[in-house]
Amino acid sequence: MSTEHVLGHRPLRQVPARIRGSANKVPEVTVYFWIVKVLTTGMGETASDFLAHLLGPIPAVAVGAVAFAASLVLQFAVRRYVAWIYWTAIVMVSVFGTMAADILHVGLGVPYAVSTPLFLIALAAVFALWYMSERTLSMHSIRTRRRECFYWAAVLATFALGTAAGDLTATVGLGYLGSVVLFAVAICVPALAHRAGVLGPVTGFWTAYVITRPLGASTADWMAVAQQRGGLGWGLGPVTLAWTVAILGFVGYLAVSRRDTETALSTD
């Protein structure tokens, strides 16, 4: 087994025979996966705020919704995992998921203390329906259209939940930097619990997946917001651009090297 296999890996031979011959539609979980995932969460947070300031809230949501829908149409159209298509969809989910959480709070006045558990319930409902239908929540068996639908519903719910949770901690006294420290520590818990045999790989994966959102978003917010608000004051535009460049670099490497595909991992 490759040393790059981390939390959430499921060997191909464990996939049920009825879907073993089809290609997985999502990347294998490697160190690169977690790096790019955190980068997309931060970029989505600042990009959402930047678009809202540039275009206005309603036009920004409209643009985000169209881009989100288009990216998912493209993702569903391909037969196997393609790095740039998959991660474009993740970025669009990040931007739109941020907007969805912000609409509840800013547009409808729903407190983060209320929206956070609501999004948690929504995510739990998606997982319950997914498991009842497929008897698995593993991202290593996304080989049918139905499983892919459940997967993206879960991804969208995790982004909305993570956004609300990150904003909640930032507004209850921790601030942005305090939230970064909190979620940096929190994301280590499922990894350590998995290594200790306390937490299964699927549960550990989705727990860490949820935490990546507030971790990345809090970090990007801390870098972007004004110093009077506890940030570094670098600005929404520059931070969004910097994180986008980093994403493009990693995704470009993965597209060329195929380090996050089953074929590449099986030869390690």
Side-chain angles (χ1 to χ4, degrees), residues 16 33 57 62 64 72 74 100 107 116-117 119 148-149 165 179 183 199 201 216 225-226 252:
F33 174 89
L72 282 189
L74 185 59
T116 299
F119 285 128
E148 192 173 11
C149 288
S179 295
F183 291 115
L199 204 61
V225 301

Side-chain angles (χ1 to χ4, degrees), residues 50-267:
F50 180 72
L51 287 173
H53 282 85
L54 181 66
L55 304 177
I58 295 178
V61 171
V63 170
V66 171
F68 166 64
S71 66
L72 282 189
V73 168
L74 185 59
Q75 168 65 24
F76 275 88
V78 296
R79 290 181 168 270
R80 62 181 62 245
Y81 164 69
V82 179
W84 73 268
I85 293 177
Y86 173 85
W87 287 110
T88 296
I90 289 292
V91 167
M92 292 301 103
V93 170
S94 178
V95 173
F96 189 69
T98 301
M99 291 176 175
D102 288 343
I103 286 173
L104 278 181
H105 180 70
V106 179
L108 301 179
V110 178
Y112 292 126
V114 175
S115 61
T116 299
L118 285 178
F119 285 128
L120 180 59
I121 292 172
L123 178 60
V126 172
F127 281 149
L129 291 172
W130 184 355
Y131 189 80
M132 286 189 293
S133 173
E134 302 297 316
R135 312 309 297 178
T136 180
L137 300 178
S138 174
M139 69 171 292
H140 302 286
S141 60
I142 311 301
R143 301 167 185 274
T144 68
R145 181 57 56 86
R146 183 165 59 186
R147 289 187 179 186
E148 192 173 11
C149 288
F150 280 123
Y151 172 79
W152 286 104
V155 167
L156 181 58
T158 64
F159 272 90
L161 170 60
T163 299
D167 288 337
L168 175 63
T169 60
T171 56
V172 295
L174 284 179
Y176 294 110
L177 182 57
S179 295
V180 172
V181 175
L182 171 65
F183 291 115
V185 172
I187 202 170
C188 296
V189 174
L192 294 175
H194 174 63
R195 284 183 174 273
V198 177
L199 204 61
V202 174
T203 303
F205 167 81
W206 284 111
T207 302
Y209 196 94
V210 170
I211 298 172
T212 59
R213 174 57 185 176
L215 173 60
S218 297
T219 303
D221 277 337
W222 172 62
M223 296 170 68
V225 301
Q227 295 180 1
Q228 299 92 313
R229 297 174 55 195
L232 296 178
W234 293 353
L236 293 171
V239 171
T240 300
L241 178 60
W243 286 55
T244 300
V245 170
I247 293 169
L248 290 174
F250 276 105
V251 173
Y253 168 74
L254 292 174
V256 173
S257 68
R258 299 178 62 82
R259 296 293 294 174
D260 59 345
T261 64
E262 292 173 344
T263 302
L265 291 175
S266 65
T267 61

